[in-house]
Amino acid sequence: GVRLVGSEMCIRDRFWIRLMQCARQFAATPVRRHALNCVKYCCSISVVVLSLASSRSASFHNAWWVMSVVSTFYAGAWDLYFD
């Protein structure tokens, strides 16, 4: 419903803002770390978008599941390695 879409948009927008900040940092100082951080936020955004899509159509469920696993492992590795 509307509440589900609204909450997912808020989550996605937060990731989008962080993605844009990382992209701006990478453009200013082309440090590889900033580009890899962009990938982390792209993965997170794709999970949110696929979650919304899978709530409307079951055909997106497998893609959502795969991206959830990829995003979780990538973010976990990021936290261990960089943070």
Side-chain angles (χ1 to χ4, degrees), residues 5 8-9 12 15-16 18 20 23 30 34 39 41 45 51-54 58 67-69 71 73 75 77 79 81:
V5 172
E8 290 191 1
M9 285 176 47
R12 184 205 61 217
F15 290 138
W16 181 258
R18 287 293 297 136
M20 291 296 101
H34 299 308
V39 172
Y41 288 109
I45 290 168
S51 173
L52 180 59
S54 69
M67 278 311 299
S68 293
V69 171
S71 181
F73 279 106
D79 289 343
Y81 186 71

PDB file of all heavy atoms in Angstrom, residues 5 8-9 12 15-16 18 20 23 30 34 39 41 45 51-54 58 67-69 71 73 75 77 79 81:
ATOM      1  N   VAL A   5       5.091   1.887   0.192  1.00  0.00           N
ATOM      2  CA  VAL A   5       5.820   2.655  -0.819  1.00  0.00           C
ATOM      3  C   VAL A   5       6.500   3.859  -0.183  1.00  0.00           C
ATOM      4  O   VAL A   5       7.653   4.159  -0.469  1.00  0.00           O
ATOM      5  CB  VAL A   5       4.866   3.090  -1.967  1.00  0.00           C
ATOM      6  CG1 VAL A   5       5.558   4.049  -2.909  1.00  0.00           C
ATOM      7  CG2 VAL A   5       4.352   1.876  -2.711  1.00  0.00           C
ATOM      8  N   GLU A   8       9.606   2.731   1.864  1.00  0.00           N
ATOM      9  CA  GLU A   8      10.698   2.299   0.988  1.00  0.00           C
ATOM     10  C   GLU A   8      11.321   3.483   0.249  1.00  0.00           C
ATOM     11  O   GLU A   8      12.521   3.496   0.017  1.00  0.00           O
ATOM     12  CB  GLU A   8      10.207   1.229   0.021  1.00  0.00           C
ATOM     13  CG  GLU A   8       9.921  -0.072   0.738  1.00  0.00           C
ATOM     14  CD  GLU A   8       9.684  -1.237  -0.181  1.00  0.00           C
ATOM     15  OE1 GLU A   8       9.744  -1.072  -1.407  1.00  0.00           O
ATOM     16  OE2 GLU A   8       9.457  -2.332   0.340  1.00  0.00           O
ATOM     17  N   MET A   9      10.517   4.473  -0.086  1.00  0.00           N
ATOM     18  CA  MET A   9      11.070   5.668  -0.731  1.00  0.00           C
ATOM     19  C   MET A   9      11.985   6.414   0.228  1.00  0.00           C
ATOM     20  O   MET A   9      13.039   6.908  -0.169  1.00  0.00           O
ATOM     21  CB  MET A   9       9.949   6.575  -1.235  1.00  0.00           C
ATOM     22  CG  MET A   9       9.289   6.060  -2.489  1.00  0.00           C
ATOM     23  SD  MET A   9       7.873   7.042  -3.053  1.00  0.00           S
ATOM     24  CE  MET A   9       8.461   8.691  -2.987  1.00  0.00           C
ATOM     25  N   ARG A  12      15.206   4.420   0.398  1.00  0.00           N
ATOM     26  CA  ARG A  12      15.933   4.558  -0.858  1.00  0.00           C
ATOM     27  C   ARG A  12      16.548   5.944  -0.979  1.00  0.00           C
ATOM     28  O   ARG A  12      17.687   6.092  -1.411  1.00  0.00           O
ATOM     29  CB  ARG A  12      14.985   4.295  -2.031  1.00  0.00           C
ATOM     30  CG  ARG A  12      15.693   4.336  -3.376  1.00  0.00           C
ATOM     31  CD  ARG A  12      14.777   4.673  -4.511  1.00  0.00           C
ATOM     32  NE  ARG A  12      14.192   5.982  -4.300  1.00  0.00           N
ATOM     33  CZ  ARG A  12      12.941   6.304  -4.624  1.00  0.00           C
ATOM     34  NH1 ARG A  12      12.149   5.416  -5.149  1.00  0.00           N
ATOM     35  NH2 ARG A  12      12.479   7.506  -4.403  1.00  0.00           N
ATOM     36  N   PHE A  15      19.760   6.280   1.006  1.00  0.00           N
ATOM     37  CA  PHE A  15      20.874   5.654   0.290  1.00  0.00           C
ATOM     38  C   PHE A  15      21.287   6.489  -0.918  1.00  0.00           C
ATOM     39  O   PHE A  15      22.467   6.582  -1.247  1.00  0.00           O
ATOM     40  CB  PHE A  15      20.513   4.234  -0.151  1.00  0.00           C
ATOM     41  CG  PHE A  15      20.403   3.243   0.969  1.00  0.00           C
ATOM     42  CD1 PHE A  15      19.382   2.319   0.983  1.00  0.00           C
ATOM     43  CD2 PHE A  15      21.327   3.211   1.997  1.00  0.00           C
ATOM     44  CE1 PHE A  15      19.272   1.387   1.992  1.00  0.00           C
ATOM     45  CE2 PHE A  15      21.241   2.290   3.029  1.00  0.00           C
ATOM     46  CZ  PHE A  15      20.202   1.374   3.026  1.00  0.00           C
ATOM     47  N   TRP A  16      20.311   7.090  -1.598  1.00  0.00           N
ATOM     48  CA  TRP A  16      20.596   7.913  -2.775  1.00  0.00           C
ATOM     49  C   TRP A  16      21.450   9.123  -2.392  1.00  0.00           C
ATOM     50  O   TRP A  16      22.407   9.457  -3.088  1.00  0.00           O
ATOM     51  CB  TRP A  16      19.289   8.362  -3.432  1.00  0.00           C
ATOM     52  CG  TRP A  16      19.524   9.186  -4.647  1.00  0.00           C
ATOM     53  CD1 TRP A  16      19.426  10.541  -4.753  1.00  0.00           C
ATOM     54  CD2 TRP A  16      19.937   8.731  -5.940  1.00  0.00           C
ATOM     55  NE1 TRP A  16      19.749  10.947  -6.019  1.00  0.00           N
ATOM     56  CE2 TRP A  16      20.058   9.847  -6.768  1.00  0.00           C
ATOM     57  CE3 TRP A  16      20.205   7.468  -6.457  1.00  0.00           C
ATOM     58  CZ2 TRP A  16      20.440   9.749  -8.094  1.00  0.00           C
ATOM     59  CZ3 TRP A  16      20.581   7.381  -7.782  1.00  0.00           C
ATOM     60  CH2 TRP A  16      20.694   8.499  -8.582  1.00  0.00           C
ATOM     61  N   ARG A  18      23.515   9.371   0.164  1.00  0.00           N
ATOM     62  CA  ARG A  18      24.865   8.890   0.457  1.00  0.00           C
ATOM     63  C   ARG A  18      25.602   8.499  -0.823  1.00  0.00           C
ATOM     64  O   ARG A  18      26.797   8.762  -0.961  1.00  0.00           O
ATOM     65  CB  ARG A  18      24.823   7.689   1.409  1.00  0.00           C
ATOM     66  CG  ARG A  18      24.479   8.053   2.817  1.00  0.00           C
ATOM     67  CD  ARG A  18      25.564   8.902   3.489  1.00  0.00           C
ATOM     68  NE  ARG A  18      26.792   8.144   3.585  1.00  0.00           N
ATOM     69  CZ  ARG A  18      28.008   8.632   3.307  1.00  0.00           C
ATOM     70  NH1 ARG A  18      28.170   9.885   2.930  1.00  0.00           N
ATOM     71  NH2 ARG A  18      29.073   7.872   3.399  1.00  0.00           N
ATOM     72  N   MET A  20      25.216   9.854  -3.774  1.00  0.00           N
ATOM     73  CA  MET A  20      25.622  11.104  -4.429  1.00  0.00           C
ATOM     74  C   MET A  20      26.812  11.749  -3.707  1.00  0.00           C
ATOM     75  O   MET A  20      27.707  12.300  -4.344  1.00  0.00           O
ATOM     76  CB  MET A  20      24.449  12.081  -4.498  1.00  0.00           C
ATOM     77  CG  MET A  20      23.346  11.654  -5.440  1.00  0.00           C
ATOM     78  SD  MET A  20      23.891  11.571  -7.173  1.00  0.00           S
ATOM     79  CE  MET A  20      24.125   9.818  -7.390  1.00  0.00           C
ATOM     80  N   ALA A  23      29.815   9.733  -4.765  1.00  0.00           N
ATOM     81  CA  ALA A  23      30.145  10.030  -6.164  1.00  0.00           C
ATOM     82  C   ALA A  23      30.826  11.397  -6.278  1.00  0.00           C
ATOM     83  O   ALA A  23      31.793  11.554  -7.036  1.00  0.00           O
ATOM     84  CB  ALA A  23      28.880   9.991  -7.019  1.00  0.00           C
ATOM     85  N   PRO A  30      39.762  11.257  -7.138  1.00  0.00           N
ATOM     86  CA  PRO A  30      39.499   9.904  -7.647  1.00  0.00           C
ATOM     87  C   PRO A  30      40.200   8.806  -6.836  1.00  0.00           C
ATOM     88  O   PRO A  30      41.141   8.164  -7.281  1.00  0.00           O
ATOM     89  CB  PRO A  30      39.987   9.958  -9.087  1.00  0.00           C
ATOM     90  CG  PRO A  30      40.932  11.106  -9.144  1.00  0.00           C
ATOM     91  CD  PRO A  30      40.517  12.058  -8.077  1.00  0.00           C
ATOM     92  N   HIS A  34      36.170   5.618  -2.676  1.00  0.00           N
ATOM     93  CA  HIS A  34      34.899   6.308  -2.893  1.00  0.00           C
ATOM     94  C   HIS A  34      34.063   5.598  -3.963  1.00  0.00           C
ATOM     95  O   HIS A  34      32.841   5.507  -3.839  1.00  0.00           O
ATOM     96  CB  HIS A  34      35.129   7.770  -3.277  1.00  0.00           C
ATOM     97  CG  HIS A  34      35.850   8.548  -2.221  1.00  0.00           C
ATOM     98  ND1 HIS A  34      35.443   8.578  -0.905  1.00  0.00           N
ATOM     99  CD2 HIS A  34      36.961   9.316  -2.283  1.00  0.00           C
ATOM    100  CE1 HIS A  34      36.274   9.345  -0.203  1.00  0.00           C
ATOM    101  NE2 HIS A  34      37.205   9.796  -1.019  1.00  0.00           N
ATOM    102  N   VAL A  39      29.409   1.621  -5.016  1.00  0.00           N
ATOM    103  CA  VAL A  39      28.872   0.294  -5.325  1.00  0.00           C
ATOM    104  C   VAL A  39      28.038  -0.223  -4.159  1.00  0.00           C
ATOM    105  O   VAL A  39      26.967  -0.805  -4.350  1.00  0.00           O
ATOM    106  CB  VAL A  39      30.005  -0.697  -5.678  1.00  0.00           C
ATOM    107  CG1 VAL A  39      29.482  -2.107  -5.817  1.00  0.00           C
ATOM    108  CG2 VAL A  39      30.728  -0.255  -6.935  1.00  0.00           C
ATOM    109  N   TYR A  41      26.305   1.486  -1.986  1.00  0.00           N
ATOM    110  CA  TYR A  41      24.999   2.154  -1.954  1.00  0.00           C
ATOM    111  C   TYR A  41      24.133   1.770  -3.150  1.00  0.00           C
ATOM    112  O   TYR A  41      22.911   1.687  -3.014  1.00  0.00           O
ATOM    113  CB  TYR A  41      25.176   3.668  -1.820  1.00  0.00           C
ATOM    114  CG  TYR A  41      25.638   4.023  -0.430  1.00  0.00           C
ATOM    115  CD1 TYR A  41      26.930   4.466  -0.191  1.00  0.00           C
ATOM    116  CD2 TYR A  41      24.800   3.846   0.662  1.00  0.00           C
ATOM    117  CE1 TYR A  41      27.356   4.749   1.097  1.00  0.00           C
ATOM    118  CE2 TYR A  41      25.225   4.123   1.953  1.00  0.00           C
ATOM    119  CZ  TYR A  41      26.497   4.580   2.156  1.00  0.00           C
ATOM    120  OH  TYR A  41      26.917   4.853   3.437  1.00  0.00           O
ATOM    121  N   ILE A  45      20.369   0.305  -2.759  1.00  0.00           N
ATOM    122  CA  ILE A  45      19.229   0.868  -3.482  1.00  0.00           C
ATOM    123  C   ILE A  45      18.530  -0.212  -4.291  1.00  0.00           C
ATOM    124  O   ILE A  45      17.293  -0.276  -4.332  1.00  0.00           O
ATOM    125  CB  ILE A  45      19.680   2.039  -4.380  1.00  0.00           C
ATOM    126  CG1 ILE A  45      20.085   3.235  -3.518  1.00  0.00           C
ATOM    127  CG2 ILE A  45      18.586   2.430  -5.368  1.00  0.00           C
ATOM    128  CD1 ILE A  45      20.800   4.332  -4.271  1.00  0.00           C
ATOM    129  N   SER A  51      12.669  -4.971  -3.673  1.00  0.00           N
ATOM    130  CA  SER A  51      11.699  -5.321  -2.642  1.00  0.00           C
ATOM    131  C   SER A  51      10.329  -4.767  -2.987  1.00  0.00           C
ATOM    132  O   SER A  51       9.309  -5.460  -2.880  1.00  0.00           O
ATOM    133  CB  SER A  51      12.157  -4.778  -1.288  1.00  0.00           C
ATOM    134  OG  SER A  51      11.171  -4.968  -0.304  1.00  0.00           O
ATOM    135  N   LEU A  52      10.309  -3.531  -3.405  1.00  0.00           N
ATOM    136  CA  LEU A  52       9.041  -2.918  -3.821  1.00  0.00           C
ATOM    137  C   LEU A  52       8.472  -3.637  -5.034  1.00  0.00           C
ATOM    138  O   LEU A  52       7.281  -3.943  -5.089  1.00  0.00           O
ATOM    139  CB  LEU A  52       9.247  -1.435  -4.127  1.00  0.00           C
ATOM    140  CG  LEU A  52       8.024  -0.657  -4.573  1.00  0.00           C
ATOM    141  CD1 LEU A  52       6.938  -0.707  -3.502  1.00  0.00           C
ATOM    142  CD2 LEU A  52       8.401   0.774  -4.883  1.00  0.00           C
ATOM    143  N   ALA A  53       9.334  -3.940  -6.004  1.00  0.00           N
ATOM    144  CA  ALA A  53       8.876  -4.636  -7.214  1.00  0.00           C
ATOM    145  C   ALA A  53       8.363  -6.042  -6.888  1.00  0.00           C
ATOM    146  O   ALA A  53       7.344  -6.467  -7.437  1.00  0.00           O
ATOM    147  CB  ALA A  53      10.012  -4.710  -8.240  1.00  0.00           C
ATOM    148  N   SER A  54       9.043  -6.737  -5.981  1.00  0.00           N
ATOM    149  CA  SER A  54       8.612  -8.105  -5.658  1.00  0.00           C
ATOM    150  C   SER A  54       7.328  -8.118  -4.846  1.00  0.00           C
ATOM    151  O   SER A  54       6.612  -9.116  -4.846  1.00  0.00           O
ATOM    152  CB  SER A  54       9.715  -8.875  -4.940  1.00  0.00           C
ATOM    153  OG  SER A  54       9.942  -8.363  -3.655  1.00  0.00           O
ATOM    154  N   ALA A  58       5.609 -11.392  -8.147  1.00  0.00           N
ATOM    155  CA  ALA A  58       6.469 -12.458  -7.624  1.00  0.00           C
ATOM    156  C   ALA A  58       7.672 -12.732  -8.517  1.00  0.00           C
ATOM    157  O   ALA A  58       8.651 -13.329  -8.071  1.00  0.00           O
ATOM    158  CB  ALA A  58       5.651 -13.731  -7.439  1.00  0.00           C
ATOM    159  N   MET A  67      20.112 -10.089  -4.693  1.00  0.00           N
ATOM    160  CA  MET A  67      20.700  -8.781  -4.382  1.00  0.00           C
ATOM    161  C   MET A  67      20.769  -8.540  -2.886  1.00  0.00           C
ATOM    162  O   MET A  67      21.686  -7.866  -2.402  1.00  0.00           O
ATOM    163  CB  MET A  67      19.929  -7.650  -5.072  1.00  0.00           C
ATOM    164  CG  MET A  67      20.327  -7.444  -6.512  1.00  0.00           C
ATOM    165  SD  MET A  67      22.128  -7.332  -6.800  1.00  0.00           S
ATOM    166  CE  MET A  67      22.586  -5.916  -5.838  1.00  0.00           C
ATOM    167  N   SER A  68      19.831  -9.080  -2.134  1.00  0.00           N
ATOM    168  CA  SER A  68      19.887  -8.960  -0.674  1.00  0.00           C
ATOM    169  C   SER A  68      21.133  -9.646  -0.130  1.00  0.00           C
ATOM    170  O   SER A  68      21.832  -9.100   0.736  1.00  0.00           O
ATOM    171  CB  SER A  68      18.643  -9.575  -0.038  1.00  0.00           C
ATOM    172  OG  SER A  68      17.506  -8.844  -0.362  1.00  0.00           O
ATOM    173  N   VAL A  69      21.423 -10.832  -0.640  1.00  0.00           N
ATOM    174  CA  VAL A  69      22.612 -11.565  -0.201  1.00  0.00           C
ATOM    175  C   VAL A  69      23.876 -10.822  -0.626  1.00  0.00           C
ATOM    176  O   VAL A  69      24.793 -10.614   0.182  1.00  0.00           O
ATOM    177  CB  VAL A  69      22.597 -13.012  -0.751  1.00  0.00           C
ATOM    178  CG1 VAL A  69      23.923 -13.719  -0.496  1.00  0.00           C
ATOM    179  CG2 VAL A  69      21.439 -13.798  -0.144  1.00  0.00           C
ATOM    180  N   SER A  71      24.273  -7.641  -1.379  1.00  0.00           N
ATOM    181  CA  SER A  71      24.382  -6.379  -0.648  1.00  0.00           C
ATOM    182  C   SER A  71      24.816  -6.593   0.793  1.00  0.00           C
ATOM    183  O   SER A  71      25.654  -5.853   1.318  1.00  0.00           O
ATOM    184  CB  SER A  71      23.038  -5.643  -0.690  1.00  0.00           C
ATOM    185  OG  SER A  71      23.124  -4.416  -0.016  1.00  0.00           O
ATOM    186  N   PHE A  73      26.565  -9.149   2.079  1.00  0.00           N
ATOM    187  CA  PHE A  73      27.968  -9.555   2.143  1.00  0.00           C
ATOM    188  C   PHE A  73      28.904  -8.407   1.774  1.00  0.00           C
ATOM    189  O   PHE A  73      29.955  -8.235   2.392  1.00  0.00           O
ATOM    190  CB  PHE A  73      28.232 -10.779   1.261  1.00  0.00           C
ATOM    191  CG  PHE A  73      27.831 -12.060   1.922  1.00  0.00           C
ATOM    192  CD1 PHE A  73      26.692 -12.723   1.522  1.00  0.00           C
ATOM    193  CD2 PHE A  73      28.581 -12.594   2.964  1.00  0.00           C
ATOM    194  CE1 PHE A  73      26.302 -13.901   2.137  1.00  0.00           C
ATOM    195  CE2 PHE A  73      28.207 -13.770   3.592  1.00  0.00           C
ATOM    196  CZ  PHE A  73      27.060 -14.427   3.176  1.00  0.00           C
ATOM    197  N   ALA A  75      28.311  -5.114   2.099  1.00  0.00           N
ATOM    198  CA  ALA A  75      28.311  -4.140   3.197  1.00  0.00           C
ATOM    199  C   ALA A  75      29.069  -4.686   4.408  1.00  0.00           C
ATOM    200  O   ALA A  75      29.790  -3.940   5.083  1.00  0.00           O
ATOM    201  CB  ALA A  75      26.882  -3.766   3.575  1.00  0.00           C
ATOM    202  N   ALA A  77      31.555  -6.914   4.349  1.00  0.00           N
ATOM    203  CA  ALA A  77      32.983  -6.871   4.010  1.00  0.00           C
ATOM    204  C   ALA A  77      33.504  -5.438   4.084  1.00  0.00           C
ATOM    205  O   ALA A  77      34.622  -5.201   4.568  1.00  0.00           O
ATOM    206  CB  ALA A  77      33.208  -7.457   2.617  1.00  0.00           C
ATOM    207  N   ASP A  79      32.394  -3.021   6.029  1.00  0.00           N
ATOM    208  CA  ASP A  79      32.526  -2.668   7.429  1.00  0.00           C
ATOM    209  C   ASP A  79      33.773  -3.297   8.055  1.00  0.00           C
ATOM    210  O   ASP A  79      34.454  -2.652   8.856  1.00  0.00           O
ATOM    211  CB  ASP A  79      31.281  -3.071   8.221  1.00  0.00           C
ATOM    212  CG  ASP A  79      30.083  -2.186   7.891  1.00  0.00           C
ATOM    213  OD1 ASP A  79      30.289  -1.098   7.330  1.00  0.00           O
ATOM    214  OD2 ASP A  79      28.956  -2.594   8.219  1.00  0.00           O
ATOM    215  N   TYR A  81      36.541  -4.290   6.410  1.00  0.00           N
ATOM    216  CA  TYR A  81      37.774  -3.840   5.764  1.00  0.00           C
ATOM    217  C   TYR A  81      38.032  -2.343   5.939  1.00  0.00           C
ATOM    218  O   TYR A  81      39.138  -1.930   6.257  1.00  0.00           O
ATOM    219  CB  TYR A  81      37.738  -4.209   4.281  1.00  0.00           C
ATOM    220  CG  TYR A  81      39.025  -3.924   3.557  1.00  0.00           C
ATOM    221  CD1 TYR A  81      40.163  -4.695   3.784  1.00  0.00           C
ATOM    222  CD2 TYR A  81      39.127  -2.868   2.674  1.00  0.00           C
ATOM    223  CE1 TYR A  81      41.360  -4.444   3.141  1.00  0.00           C
ATOM    224  CE2 TYR A  81      40.313  -2.584   2.012  1.00  0.00           C
ATOM    225  CZ  TYR A  81      41.426  -3.365   2.256  1.00  0.00           C
ATOM    226  OH  TYR A  81      42.604  -3.105   1.607  1.00  0.00           O
TER     227      TYR A  81
END
